[in-house]
Amino acid sequence: MPAFPFYGGPPVNPDVKARGTIDELLADMDAEGTERALVIPNYGVPDPSHSFSFNELVVEAAARDDRLRAALWASPRPQDAELTDKALALVGENGVKALKISFLLGGSVEDPECQVQLDKIFAAAKANNLVVHVHTSPGAQSDIDKVGQLVDKYGDEVPVHLVHFGGGVSGHIKLIGKRFFDWIEAGKKVYTDLTWSVGFAPYWLAQEIERRGIGGDRVLFASDLPWGDFAGEYHRMIEAVGDGELANLVFNENFDRLYG
């Protein structure tokens, strides 16, 4: 991604672990011991055109190496409709398994103009057996109270992956305390990961999965590189889920079922 003057400061490149080539990505995976990965366009700079421009690269990566699966960047914003149409034209390419959307760059679940694009994105996902990844973070349009409406509306027919598990304390407590398990019991196809989560969340979630007897098949390990930290995310999840059945689901089987 290009340097950007985040938060009124000078132009910087905080995504220091970003990789621009497939060879570099595969080398990182080898170093980590990562067997498979879902590759998603970087959307760290608030200019959607950059994120859309990476769709061809992630498709190329998935076609080149069976260790990789691709998620295409799409947008709920009406002003991005043409670019989203071009992205959705790639859904049939080899290795494409997901669509990624976020409201960080604008738009809202409750905006009628965005609803047209959301219907189109989820219809494409349903028709092609794809997962829809949605960024979550506390407050504003990515709050779980907003993003959760997508699970309510589309989750009966389309798998919805809530990235970052609510993205903060409020989201974690709402999800673990009730909502995540209510969705599962209602038959919603909801999935999540614990990247960027606050420290208590993975441990509490693992305890609730064990106590309730459901949810272990809905959680996937992710590191969210280049914005996340593989070593930290990996060791925290290992500590939370142990080395038994839940660990096998989180680190292996759930990925196989969604993206294999």
Side-chain angles (χ1 to χ4, degrees), residues 8-232:
V12 293
N13 290 99
D15 55 337
V16 294
K17 292 188 176 181
R19 299 295 181 249
T21 70
I22 301 168
D23 286 339
E24 290 173 317
L25 170 63
L26 292 171
D28 282 352
M29 291 173 62
D30 290 340
E32 296 164 355
T34 299
E35 296 177 2
R36 292 154 300 170
L38 181 71
V39 187
I40 301 172
N42 193 335
Y43 59 102
V45 170
D47 179 352
S49 65
H50 290 296
S51 301
F52 279 109
S53 72
F54 294 131
N55 279 336
E56 288 78 7
L57 181 59
V58 299
V59 168
E60 179 186 350
R64 172 176 160 182
D65 196 304
D66 193 52
R67 297 169 66 187
L68 303 176
R69 300 290 185 265
L72 301 171
W73 175 261
S75 172
R77 303 193 322 156
Q79 56 267 51
D80 298 330
E82 184 176 349
L83 290 171
T84 293
D85 286 344
K86 291 180 179 178
L88 297 181
L90 299 172
V91 295
E93 295 292 330
N94 183 50
V96 172
K97 297 294 183 178
L99 302 174
K100 176 61 184 277
I101 62 173
S102 171
F103 295 98
L104 284 180
L105 308 187
S108 167
V109 172
E110 298 169 328
D111 183 341
E113 293 188 357
C114 289
Q115 190 60 60
V116 174
Q117 296 303 308
L118 288 168
D119 285 345
K120 181 185 298 183
I121 291 166
F122 277 89
K126 178 183 176 181
N128 293 275
N129 297 314
L130 305 180
V131 182
V132 176
H133 280 231
V134 188
H135 175 97
T136 67
S137 57
Q141 302 305 327
S142 292
D143 191 90
I144 196 62
D145 289 341
K146 304 287 188 180
V147 172
Q149 295 177 47
L150 299 176
V151 180
D152 292 329
K153 181 170 184 176
Y154 302 106
D156 289 329
E157 297 181 321
V158 177
V160 181
H161 183 129
L162 300 173
V163 179
H164 306 319
F165 200 61
V169 170
S170 62
H172 301 338
I173 292 176
K174 290 174 183 177
L175 287 168
I176 302 173
K178 189 176 191 298
R179 203 168 305 177
F180 184 59
F181 296 99
D182 284 352
W183 279 326
I184 294 171
E185 290 177 338
K188 302 295 184 182
K189 299 178 180 180
V190 61
Y191 296 84
T192 194
D193 64 77
L194 278 296
T195 55
W196 288 44
S197 62
V198 180
F200 71 91
Y203 306 95
W204 185 24
L205 178 59
Q207 289 176 1
E208 283 298 291
I209 288 172
E210 181 177 1
R211 184 179 73 84
R212 295 171 181 260
I214 59 172
D217 60 343
R218 306 303 184 93
V219 182
L220 292 87
F221 170 74
S223 61
D224 196 41
L225 287 170
W227 300 100
D229 166 39
F230 175 84

